[in-house]
Amino acid sequence: MSGTDTAAAAGRRAWLREHSELGVCVLLLAVGALTLFDALTMHVEIAQRGPVGPRTVPIAVGAGLLAVAALLAVDVLRGGRGEAEGGEDVDLSEPADWRTVLLLAGVFLAAAALIEPLGFPAAGALLFWGAAYALGSRRFDRDPLIAAVLSLVTYVVFNDLLGVPLPGGPLMGVL
C-alpha cells in the first residue's frame, strides 16, 4: 500500500467514526424494510378485511421507521451529532460488570425454560428473586416472599383480569 492509499483509508475511518450514528440509520432502515415486507406479504382472509385490518399497524410502524431512518441520516450528514447525556455518572475506565450481566441472562433463560413445566407463578418468582439477587440484594428473609407475591399478583392480573392465559403449573391445583 502506498502512502496515498493509507491516508485515504485513514480518512475513510475518520469520516465513519465522525458519522457513527449512520449505523443506527442502517439498523432502522433494515427493521423498517423487514416490517413493511412482512406486513405486505401477510396472508389475510377476505373476511378479515376492513378499514383497519391486521396489516394497518405494521405498515404504519414500518413506514415510520423508514421515515425516521431517512430524517436521522439527513441530520447526521448535515453535521448533527448526538450529545452525551449530562446526567450520566459512568466511569468508562472501569471494566464492565459481566458477572451481573451473566447472572441476569441466566436467570432470564432459566425462567423462560421453566415457565411451561412449573407454570408462571413459580418461574416468575424465580425470575424476580434471581434478578434481585443478581442486582445485589442479599435479603434472603424477604426477597423470596416479595418475589412470590409479585409473581402471583402478575399471574392474577394477566390471567384473570386481562384474559391473557398464562400457564399455571402444578401449584395452581393446590392454590
Side-chain angles (χ1 to χ4, degrees), residues 38-166:
D38 281 348
L40 294 173
T41 58
M42 182 186 303
H43 177 69
V44 178
E45 296 292 327
I46 293 177
Q48 292 177 335
R49 286 191 176 166
V52 178
R55 292 181 178 173
T56 306
V57 172
I59 288 174
V61 168
L65 285 169
L66 293 178
V68 168
L71 291 172
L72 181 60
V74 167
D75 181 54
V76 169
L77 293 174
R78 286 184 176 175
R81 304 261 322 152
E83 294 182 23
E85 187 174 327
E88 285 290 326
D89 187 23
V90 177
D91 186 5
L92 295 177
S93 64
E94 290 292 317
D97 186 8
W98 287 107
R99 179 183 179 274
T100 300
V101 171
L102 293 175
L103 278 173
L104 283 171
V107 166
F108 180 76
L109 291 174
L114 295 173
I115 196 167
E116 197 61 42
L118 296 182
F120 182 84
L126 171 72
L127 177 65
F128 292 135
W129 184 37
Y133 180 83
L135 294 172
S137 179
R138 298 298 184 260
R139 295 288 308 264
F140 297 111
D141 56 335
R142 138 191 110 178
D143 289 347
L145 180 63
I146 292 172
V149 169
L150 273 174
S151 183
L152 282 173
V153 167
T154 304
Y155 176 80
V156 168
V157 166
F158 276 86
N159 197 63
D160 298 339
L161 298 177
L162 296 175
V164 178
L166 295 175

